[in-house]
Structure formats: C-alpha cells, structure tokens
Amino acid sequence: MDLVSMIADERRRMAELVETLKPSQLYTNSLCEAWTVHEVAAHLCAPWIFGARRIVPAVVRHGFRVHRANAELVRDLATDLTADEIALQLRMNAEFLFNPRVVDPLGQLTDLQVHGQDICRPLGLTRDLVPERMLLSLEFLLGPKARGSFVPRGRLDGLRFLAEDLDWEGGQGLLTVRGRGEAVLLAVTGRPVVLDELTGSGVAALRARLSA
C-alpha cells in the first residue's frame, strides 16, 4: 500500500470512529493540549478546508510549530462542523494530499495516527495502529523533517528509542526509552500519559522535558 492509500485509509478509519461517538464523548478533553475530542477531529479536516494559503503563514507565524499554528485555526472550524459533517469531510477528502515543504505526507500519516489515540485513550477505547504505518511515523519523528514542528528541538537529544513490539530503534544516545510502538509514538510527540508504560534509563530525562 502506498503512502496516499495509507493516509486515505486512516481518514476513513477516523470517520468511522467519529460517527460512533456520543455528544458527551465529543466534548471530553483529548490528550492534545486543551482540545476536546471534537476539536481534534475537526482539525484533521483543516488541510483541504483552509488550504496552504492559510495554514503555511500560520505555521511560519508560530515558528514552525505545527500544532500551535493549527490551534489558531481549529476552534472556529470545530464550531462550524458537526461530528457527522467531520466524518463526511474525512471520507470525501480521504485521498487529499497536502504537501507543502513544512509538512510532508508522512506528517499527515503521523498526525492521523497520533490524533486517533488522542481521542481514544481518554475515552477508554481501543484503536489498534497498523505496524507498518507506525514504523514509518517513528522514522519520520526521529528524522530531521519533524524537528521544530512535530518534535520541539532538544526533546530527543541523547535518547535512543526502542519499540519492542516492532523490533525498531531510532535516535542516538546512551539513555534508552523502551516500550510498545504506540507508547513510543505518543511519548515522542509529547503525550506524558504514556510515560508509565515505558522503561529504560532515558525515561526520567524525557519526563522532565515533557513537563518543562
């Protein structure tokens, strides 16, 4: 399956998830900063609704911090779209490819996987991630393209990450962080809720960086 097909499949899976949620679940706080579940879902529609002309200047304005830029845009979008409309948008635009220099297609794939867990974990829902896609996102997050946008500079310095269920490791350093691929993915992208699921000599350093 190519990258565009993977992204399309993740959007369709997200549409199915959103359609199952009750109003009380939609307005539950997600793992993503101050966003509700509804706002996280709406955010995933931003690339084709706002387009590069509005998103890229926001990213630049926020020092290439993609999530901060999106926060500037997403609340109005969540007000405009119901859950059913979000699901419809995700299906209709499943194969949409947003590919400016700042955010490449691997960023979209990663965003969908991480935000799916941002929604499911607070709701006590299980959402299995596809191992092949997790591997692609882990490689992306530990690489240079994600630095300063998905991963703040300095967060991963001196740390080596091992996803034991995926037989994968990445990063450079003497301090190790070990766990399941999903937990590593969420930790690298700044979700401290998974830190207790990780082991290794680098967990304390990562915990301190996420709480700073």
Side-chain angles (χ1 to χ4, degrees):
M1 184 179 287
D2 63 28
L3 191 55
V4 174
S5 298
M6 292 180 189
I7 292 169
D9 184 59
E10 289 293 335
R11 285 186 178 133
R12 293 183 183 109
R13 292 181 68 204
M14 185 64 68
E16 292 173 2
L17 170 62
V18 170
E19 287 173 333
T20 69
L21 300 179
K22 301 175 182 177
S24 60
Q25 292 174 308
L26 288 165
Y27 294 99
T28 297
N29 288 332
S30 74
L31 296 186
C32 188
E33 298 178 349
W35 288 2
T36 65
V37 164
H38 183 88
E39 287 168 337
V40 170
H43 150 74
L44 296 173
C45 302
W48 54 85
I49 291 179
F50 290 139
R53 288 186 179 181
R54 189 167 173 187
I55 291 176
V56 172
V59 170
V60 173
R61 192 162 54 249
H62 286 274
F64 297 95
R65 295 177 178 87
V66 174
H67 295 300
R68 291 189 182 183
N70 283 329
E72 179 184 297
L73 304 172
V74 74
R75 288 189 173 88
D76 287 342
L77 184 57
T79 300
D80 292 340
L81 294 177
T82 66
D84 287 342
E85 289 169 337
I86 291 169
L88 180 61
Q89 284 283 336
L90 288 166
R91 284 202 176 88
M92 289 176 58
N93 297 278
E95 296 184 2
F96 178 88
L97 193 62
F98 179 60
N99 193 24
R101 292 180 60 189
V102 176
V103 184
D104 74 6
L106 280 172
Q108 292 174 68
L109 181 66
T110 302
D111 216 35
L112 285 156
Q113 292 180 91
V114 171
H115 284 319
Q117 305 313 97
D118 285 339
I119 288 171
C120 287
R121 275 181 168 253
L123 299 176
L125 302 176
T126 300
R127 181 177 186 266
D128 292 332
L129 298 178
V130 179
E132 178 189 6
R133 299 173 194 176
M134 273 196 287
L135 286 169
L136 289 172
S137 289
L138 287 167
E139 289 288 347
F140 166 73
L141 290 167
L142 270 292
K145 287 188 176 181
R147 297 297 171 89
S149 55
F150 279 79
V151 181
R153 299 184 188 281
R155 175 183 289 168
L156 310 183
D157 289 356
L159 300 178
R160 184 162 56 93
F161 294 87
L162 296 94
E164 296 173 319
D165 56 332
L166 302 175
D167 193 26
W168 172 90
E169 64 178 82
Q172 297 179 344
L174 298 176
L175 301 178
T176 60
V177 178
R178 299 173 176 268
R180 294 176 61 253
E182 184 230 1
V184 173
L185 184 74
L186 293 180
V188 168
T189 52
R191 278 65 176 171
V193 69
V194 299
L195 290 173
D196 289 342
E197 301 172 26
L198 301 171
T199 61
S201 55
V203 173
L206 183 58
R207 187 185 299 274
R209 293 171 189 179
L210 294 186
S211 63

